Amino acid sequence: MLRRKRVRFDACAGVVATALALTALPAWAQDAAPVAVSPPAETKLEAGKLPVPAAPPEANLPAVDPVISDEAFNKAIPSLDVADDAELDRPLESIEEFERQMASKQAGAKPTEGQRAPAGNAALADGTATEQIGDAPVNDPELNKPLPPIDQFQVEPVQFAEADEDDKAAEVAYRVEVNGLDKADAETETDLRDLFDDLSALGSGKGKAANAAMVTARLTEDEVLLERILASEGWFGARVRTRLSRGGEASQDREDEDGGEPATQSASARPAAPGLTAVLDVTPGKRYTLGSIVILAAPTIPADLVSRNLALKTGEPIVAQRVQGAEAQIAVALPQEGYPFAEVGQRDVLLDRDTGQGDYTLPVTVGPRARFGDIATTGDLAFDAKHVGVLTRFKRGELYDSRKVDDLRQAMVATGLFSSVAIEPQRSGQKVADDPDGAEYVTMMVTQDAGPPRTIAGTLGYGTGQGLRAEATWTHRNMFRPEGALIAHGVAGTQEQGAGVTFRRSNAGQRDRTFELTAEALHTDYEAYNAYTGRLAARIARDSTPIWQKKLTYAAGVELLASGEEDYDFALGKRQRRTFYIAALSGQLGFDTSDDLLNPTKGYRLTTLIQPEGSLEGGFTPYVRARIDGSAYYSVSKDVVLAGRVRFGTIQGAARNDIAPSRRFYAGGGGSVRGFGYQELGPQDPDGKPIGGRSVNEAAAEVRYRFGNFGIVGFVDVGQAYESTMPKFSDLRYGAGIGGRFYTNFGPMRLDIATPINRRPGEARVSVYVSIGQAF
């Protein structure tokens, strides 16, 4: 009696299939004596005769007379000599004569003189011969006419008949009934009925089919589906029986009562009837559990490296998803612990029907322990192996860790220079000297596929008081290898115009370090000031990008500015243009724990900026600009996020009149206090135009609700700029509003509409802001 069988798991669907592995012979067959087979006696083959086996010498065979003598047989065979056959020398008649003979015979006429009577079936006839069957003559003149030109050949399209109402009425409606699945649901964490409904062929039909045969086909498919689902959860012996019910009467089961072959009579053989019910009766049977767990692997360091990562325990149900997940964990853990060439083999699960257990065996090829060695690169190169080494976070001789290899791959992708990158370890055969574990070096082979190095990009935005602003950039990301980019940019707007060029070296001698040189000219025309500015700047920084967001960032730089700006002179009582020459140093430090650069949902950010500057207009006037920004994000639920921010700024060491208007602090606008125009808040001149201050404070709160690719934001902002060097927290202005978000793969598109609270004369009732990314 068959007791045990082996099972395997389908890795793609997480489904289990079973295959018999042991076959038992009946006892009587095992005890039967073997049959002796003797080789045939030697036979001799003579020319022209079939081999005749020789009789044993002791055989006493009776005499047998021949049926016919050889002489009589030869006389009965006709001669094959064709020399005397006159009929073979007569020439063949023409095709026309042959056709006339056939036609004459068909019409009952005798052959004319000189003709032979033909044999066989009648053929088509021409001429004067009379035909009993009116076949078309082969010399029909229509057949000799030339074909019409192709441009005059007319083809009548085939008309397909539309389905009539009777055909539509032939459609059948059905419902699905699954019985017996509750027991399986009660024993597993997976809702099997929901899983079945998601994959069901009957469910995909939404209760309608062209005919009953289609329902039957879907029912057959779902029968197999249910068996696979149950097997994936450990019910390897589950049985599923199906039937169709019509008008309250059950049709014949599609499976015999004894579980044999499906019945020959199907639903499609009977007339269709409305109200079909597709029934699946499930008998889960016994759920198998894990018995012994055996891992076939060479020794590792540490010794329990494989076993501790196999999250399977004796006695737990054999669930395909858990088994595959445990094996995948081994495949991940070994390369992280110094075994880059480890492979997980094909499992073997031997089921015992008596105990309901499965003995699990897993072979694992560990391979040699390895340490990082040399770096080699091939393919269409964007840069050489030396620069690849700059991007690594590992050194030669360190224990191999696949996580550091993944980190290198991400760093190379973040450069934006590749269409694809592949990094694979290769055995070098070189042993690590004095290594007690016998490890060997592995060569990291980097395969590069350089992508297009040039990019054209553009941004468009609008803000009340700031006007319409469009910016375009042209970038060659690898003009000066490695990673030396040339960037040309231009700004065109209603209140801002300018152009500039930037040289940027990414990963400059160190991972994530950027060096920039910038030269630009800019014209700005705002309510606060009108300025023509030329700027030269150098900066070295460690910045975040949307692809490679960093927790700690910094920047340090120097800039020289020459700016002719219009400023209000209180002594003269009017605005006049002044020229400022400014030299500035800057230092910035940031700490970021948020989960996304453009659309954060949790975490916080802190940024501090310090800028020692000196104005050369009318002498040297040193001062320090400082600002601190903080923001925090909290997910209330999957769709709702609370966000808040604060800002404080101060300028110490100079009077406001000695500071260029473009270097003062302002409040108001899309990135400040919404509901007010750009730079609208703060000290004003007698004409009501802002003139800026030496300190600022701001705060904002948002509730962000997202549904699909869209979102709604409600917000309240508050802030003010002051003439004093420290914020006074007085005369605070509030703005409130609502915004819409459209989420894309590169960040959200933002549209905010806000209004000032306690609006004052001259202030707009509504302000609008359009840009990319969240407000903060």
Side-chain angles (χ1 to χ4, degrees), residues 29-42:
Q30 299 176 7
D31 298 335
V35 178
V37 180
S38 300
E42 182 179 359

Side-chain angles (χ1 to χ4, degrees), residues 104-364:
S104 298
K105 183 175 181 180
Q106 184 181 23
K110 295 182 179 180
T112 61
E113 185 179 357
Q115 294 179 342
R116 290 178 296 157
N121 297 327
L124 297 177
D126 297 326
T128 59
T130 303
E131 297 181 357
Q132 292 180 343
I133 300 176
D135 293 324
V138 296
N139 60 352
D140 190 340
E142 290 295 327
L143 297 178
N144 297 325
K145 288 185 177 181
L147 293 174
I150 188 101
D151 57 349
Q152 299 179 11
F153 187 75
Q154 297 182 358
V155 179
E156 295 183 1
V158 178
Q159 300 293 331
F160 293 96
E162 297 289 339
D164 55 22
E165 294 298 327
D166 293 337
D167 293 335
K168 295 180 180 179
E171 288 188 352
V172 296
Y174 65 87
R175 66 185 186 89
V176 182
E177 181 180 321
V178 181
N179 301 319
L181 203 57
D182 297 339
K183 178 182 177 182
D185 273 339
E187 296 184 25
T188 180
E189 298 177 358
T190 305
D191 193 333
L192 301 184
R193 180 57 193 268
D194 286 348
L195 180 59
F196 170 75
D197 290 342
D198 291 339
L199 303 175
S200 168
L202 289 167
S204 64
K206 298 181 179 179
K208 293 182 180 180
N211 47 52
M214 182 177 291
V215 181
T216 302
R218 294 174 182 173
L219 190 58
T220 302
E221 188 175 342
D222 281 358
E223 176 186 357
V224 177
L225 173 65
L226 261 179
E227 290 176 348
R228 295 175 67 189
I229 289 175
L230 288 166
S232 70
E233 292 292 331
W235 284 281
F236 299 108
R239 290 182 56 197
V240 180
R241 297 179 50 168
T242 60
R243 65 182 188 275
L244 286 176
S245 297
R246 303 169 177 275
E249 296 294 333
S251 67
Q252 182 174 349
D253 286 354
R254 298 183 57 255
E255 183 180 340
D256 290 343
E257 291 297 329
D258 60 355
E261 296 295 326
T264 56
Q265 182 182 8
S266 65
S268 60
R270 297 184 294 274
L276 287 177
T277 300
V279 183
L280 297 100
D281 294 321
V282 180
T283 305
K286 181 183 296 184
R287 193 180 193 190
Y288 285 80
T289 59
L290 285 171
S292 63
I293 299 176
V294 178
I295 301 174
L296 305 177
T300 59
I301 301 174
D304 62 345
L305 178 60
V306 178
S307 59
R308 77 185 183 198
N309 284 285
L310 184 66
L312 297 177
K313 297 181 180 179
T314 299
E316 70 174 79
I318 304 177
V319 179
Q321 187 174 5
R322 280 190 51 79
V323 172
Q324 293 171 354
E327 294 170 357
Q329 177 60 30
I330 293 177
V332 170
L334 286 172
Q336 292 177 353
E337 298 291 338
Y339 295 94
F341 307 107
E343 294 182 1
V344 177
Q346 177 62 47
R347 79 192 69 80
D348 182 76
V349 181
L350 186 61
L351 301 179
D352 190 321
R353 293 183 178 179
D354 290 338
T355 63
Q357 290 186 338
D359 294 335
Y360 175 86
T361 303
L362 181 68
V364 179

Side-chain angles (χ1 to χ4, degrees), residues 249-563:
E249 296 294 333
S251 67
Q252 182 174 349
D253 286 354
R254 298 183 57 255
E255 183 180 340
D256 290 343
E257 291 297 329
D258 60 355
E261 296 295 326
T264 56
Q265 182 182 8
S266 65
S268 60
R270 297 184 294 274
L276 287 177
T277 300
V279 183
L280 297 100
D281 294 321
V282 180
T283 305
K286 181 183 296 184
R287 193 180 193 190
Y288 285 80
T289 59
L290 285 171
S292 63
I293 299 176
V294 178
I295 301 174
L296 305 177
T300 59
I301 301 174
D304 62 345
L305 178 60
V306 178
S307 59
R308 77 185 183 198
N309 284 285
L310 184 66
L312 297 177
K313 297 181 180 179
T314 299
E316 70 174 79
I318 304 177
V319 179
Q321 187 174 5
R322 280 190 51 79
V323 172
Q324 293 171 354
E327 294 170 357
Q329 177 60 30
I330 293 177
V332 170
L334 286 172
Q336 292 177 353
E337 298 291 338
Y339 295 94
F341 307 107
E343 294 182 1
V344 177
Q346 177 62 47
R347 79 192 69 80
D348 182 76
V349 181
L350 186 61
L351 301 179
D352 190 321
R353 293 183 178 179
D354 290 338
T355 63
Q357 290 186 338
D359 294 335
Y360 175 86
T361 303
L362 181 68
V364 179
T365 302
V366 176
R369 204 165 193 238
R371 296 183 179 275
F372 288 111
D374 297 330
I375 296 175
T377 187
T378 185
D380 184 8
L381 303 185
F383 43 74
D384 57 18
K386 181 179 179 180
H387 191 67
V388 174
V390 173
L391 301 178
T392 62
R393 294 193 190 277
F394 56 82
K395 296 179 180 179
R396 179 181 172 85
E398 289 185 8
L399 187 66
Y400 181 90
D401 188 339
S402 60
R403 290 168 293 190
K404 295 182 179 180
V405 178
D406 293 337
D407 174 80
L408 174 59
R409 183 182 297 108
Q410 293 176 2
M412 295 187 70
V413 171
T415 64
L417 298 177
F418 300 99
S419 296
S420 63
V421 176
I423 306 176
E424 297 293 337
Q426 293 185 352
R427 296 189 63 174
S428 66
Q430 180 184 359
K431 293 291 185 179
V432 179
D434 301 328
D435 188 274
D437 304 328
E440 66 178 48
Y441 288 111
V442 292
T443 299
M444 303 307 303
M445 178 57 69
V446 180
T447 303
Q448 304 182 28
D449 183 11
R454 298 172 183 83
T455 301
I456 297 177
T459 60
L460 182 67
Y462 174 82
T464 299
Q466 194 174 6
L468 188 66
R469 186 180 188 275
E471 183 174 1
T473 60
W474 174 90
T475 304
H476 191 303
R477 297 186 299 278
N478 206 26
M479 178 173 285
F480 308 97
R481 297 191 180 193
E483 293 193 76
L486 183 67
I487 305 168
H489 66 276
V491 177
T494 55
Q495 294 172 263
E496 185 176 354
Q497 305 86 37
V501 62
T502 299
F503 166 76
R504 182 181 64 206
R505 174 80 71 186
S506 300
N507 299 301
Q510 180 179 321
R511 167 83 173 264
D512 302 328
R513 185 167 63 189
T514 303
F515 175 73
E516 287 184 348
L517 286 174
T518 301
E520 62 182 355
L522 187 67
H523 170 243
T524 53
D525 185 13
Y526 298 122
E527 285 290 318
Y529 57 85
N530 180 289
Y532 293 89
T533 304
R535 176 174 176 266
L536 292 174
R539 179 176 180 266
I540 188 167
R542 184 178 189 268
D543 293 327
S544 282
T545 67
I547 297 178
W548 196 260
Q549 186 174 351
K550 304 171 183 65
K551 181 174 291 187
L552 183 66
T553 60
Y554 64 82
V558 58
E559 58 182 336
L560 300 174
L561 298 97
S563 183

Side-chain angles (χ1 to χ4, degrees), residues 402-736:
S402 60
R403 290 168 293 190
K404 295 182 179 180
V405 178
D406 293 337
D407 174 80
L408 174 59
R409 183 182 297 108
Q410 293 176 2
M412 295 187 70
V413 171
T415 64
L417 298 177
F418 300 99
S419 296
S420 63
V421 176
I423 306 176
E424 297 293 337
Q426 293 185 352
R427 296 189 63 174
S428 66
Q430 180 184 359
K431 293 291 185 179
V432 179
D434 301 328
D435 188 274
D437 304 328
E440 66 178 48
Y441 288 111
V442 292
T443 299
M444 303 307 303
M445 178 57 69
V446 180
T447 303
Q448 304 182 28
D449 183 11
R454 298 172 183 83
T455 301
I456 297 177
T459 60
L460 182 67
Y462 174 82
T464 299
Q466 194 174 6
L468 188 66
R469 186 180 188 275
E471 183 174 1
T473 60
W474 174 90
T475 304
H476 191 303
R477 297 186 299 278
N478 206 26
M479 178 173 285
F480 308 97
R481 297 191 180 193
E483 293 193 76
L486 183 67
I487 305 168
H489 66 276
V491 177
T494 55
Q495 294 172 263
E496 185 176 354
Q497 305 86 37
V501 62
T502 299
F503 166 76
R504 182 181 64 206
R505 174 80 71 186
S506 300
N507 299 301
Q510 180 179 321
R511 167 83 173 264
D512 302 328
R513 185 167 63 189
T514 303
F515 175 73
E516 287 184 348
L517 286 174
T518 301
E520 62 182 355
L522 187 67
H523 170 243
T524 53
D525 185 13
Y526 298 122
E527 285 290 318
Y529 57 85
N530 180 289
Y532 293 89
T533 304
R535 176 174 176 266
L536 292 174
R539 179 176 180 266
I540 188 167
R542 184 178 189 268
D543 293 327
S544 282
T545 67
I547 297 178
W548 196 260
Q549 186 174 351
K550 304 171 183 65
K551 181 174 291 187
L552 183 66
T553 60
Y554 64 82
V558 58
E559 58 182 336
L560 300 174
L561 298 97
S563 183
E565 304 184 10
E566 192 177 78
D567 186 26
Y568 188 84
D569 190 328
F570 283 89
L572 299 176
K574 63 179 182 178
R575 285 182 174 264
Q576 64 174 0
R577 186 166 297 277
R578 302 166 57 190
T579 302
F580 296 86
Y581 299 97
I582 302 170
L585 301 174
S586 63
Q588 179 177 309
L589 184 65
F591 189 74
D592 185 357
T593 66
S594 66
D595 59 340
D596 190 273
L597 194 64
L598 295 177
N599 184 37
T601 60
K602 61 182 179 180
Y604 64 91
R605 298 172 181 170
L606 289 173
T607 303
T608 300
L609 174 67
I610 299 177
Q611 293 178 304
E613 297 184 2
S615 175
L616 303 179
E617 191 245 349
F620 180 71
T621 304
Y623 56 90
V624 176
R625 301 175 75 244
R627 193 185 70 209
I628 183 170
D629 292 89
S631 58
Y633 313 92
Y634 177 74
S635 294
V636 178
S637 66
K638 181 179 65 175
D639 303 320
V640 179
V641 176
L642 302 181
R645 76 170 184 93
V646 294
R647 170 179 288 177
F648 300 100
T650 180
I651 300 177
Q652 301 285 337
R656 182 182 62 184
N657 192 54
D658 295 328
I659 304 170
S662 61
R663 309 297 286 181
R664 301 170 188 170
F665 284 124
Y666 300 86
S672 178
V673 183
R674 287 163 289 185
F676 300 90
Y678 180 67
Q679 298 179 338
E680 184 176 326
L681 297 181
Q684 298 179 345
D685 63 17
D687 297 329
K689 294 182 179 182
I691 56 176
R694 291 183 294 171
S695 63
V696 65
N697 55 253
E698 296 173 358
E702 288 189 350
V703 179
R704 302 170 181 173
Y705 173 66
R706 178 172 179 173
F707 50 96
N709 289 330
F710 298 92
I712 298 176
V713 176
F715 57 85
V716 175
D717 296 348
V718 59
Q720 186 61 277
Y722 304 93
E723 183 178 352
S724 61
T725 59
M726 295 297 294
K728 294 183 177 179
F729 301 97
S730 61
D731 193 27
L732 295 175
R733 302 302 310 278
Y734 295 85

